[in-house]
Amino acid sequence: MENKIANPAPLGLLGFGMTTVLLNLANAGVMPLSMTIAAMGFALGGLAQIIAGVLEFKNGNTFGGTAFTAYGLFWWSLVFIWANPGKFLPGADAKSLGFYLLLWCVFTLFMAIGTLKHNHANQMVFFSLALLFLLLALHAFTGVAMVGTIAGIVGIICGLSAIYNALGQVVNGEYGHSVMPLGDKK
């Protein structure tokens, strides 16, 4: 009896996309940073992506496994930074947060290069995410509010593109053909 595993990518993309939109509504100044965002980051942004990543590794997909697991752990680390539960270390200062975000930008840029073999929807997610991390790092380093607002707008676009990608994969999979175009490579 064959043990078939469904495509875990939509779960990971939804976890990433919905959490990214929610956080970037705060970055854009639409709502305050709150426990709502932290809880979403821990559960859907973190746990759902980690589960999707482990399943992608099981499916032999190194790219998907690396991406979902790493970004799931990003969300957990970000929530941990916000909470500073140990109180035995100083909280994150702007400079350390800037370097943290810059390292995620570099990682994401290389992952974005990997998407050049993927559909256009994946490319949009990763290239806009690289730009988002760069803008967030610049905001942390400079403290310029407008950079944070622009980052929030880019983040909302990035998150929405991930949600579209996830729902497109689910709908297209259900119908067996492209109902929601993802810009598949020929």
Side-chain angles (χ1 to χ4, degrees), residues 10 30-31 38 41 58 70 83-84 91 99 136 146 168 185:
V30 174
M31 60 186 248
K58 185 172 180 180
N84 193 21
F99 281 114
L136 290 171
M146 181 58 74
K185 290 288 190 179

Side-chain angles (χ1 to χ4, degrees), residues 4 13 15 24 27 51 53 59-60 69-71 90 108 138 147 151 155 159-160:
K4 185 177 178 187
L13 285 164
N24 283 287
N27 287 339
I51 291 168
N59 283 343
T69 305
Y71 292 117
T108 302
L138 289 173
V147 175
L160 290 173

Side-chain angles (χ1 to χ4, degrees), residues 12-30:
L13 285 164
L14 278 174
F16 168 79
M18 291 175 65
T19 308
T20 299
V21 168
L22 196 60
L23 173 58
N24 283 287
L25 287 169
N27 287 339
V30 174

Side-chain angles (χ1 to χ4, degrees), residues 7 15 37 50 53 60 63 72 83 89 97 104 136 139 141 157 173:
N7 179 9
I37 299 167
I50 292 167
F63 182 91
L89 291 174
L97 192 57
W104 280 104
L136 290 171
H139 180 249
F141 286 133
I157 293 166

Side-chain angles (χ1 to χ4, degrees), residues 27 134-140 142-153:
N27 287 339
L134 178 62
L135 290 167
L136 290 171
L138 289 173
H139 180 249
T142 66
V144 175
M146 181 58 74
V147 175
T149 301
I150 293 168
I153 294 165

Side-chain angles (χ1 to χ4, degrees), residues 41-42 45-46 50 69-85 92 97 100-101 104 133:
F42 183 80
I50 292 167
T69 305
Y71 292 117
L73 293 169
F74 161 80
W75 281 108
W76 277 3
S77 70
L78 185 61
V79 169
F80 194 79
I81 288 167
W82 289 337
N84 193 21
L97 192 57
Y100 168 83
L101 294 165
W104 280 104
F133 277 128

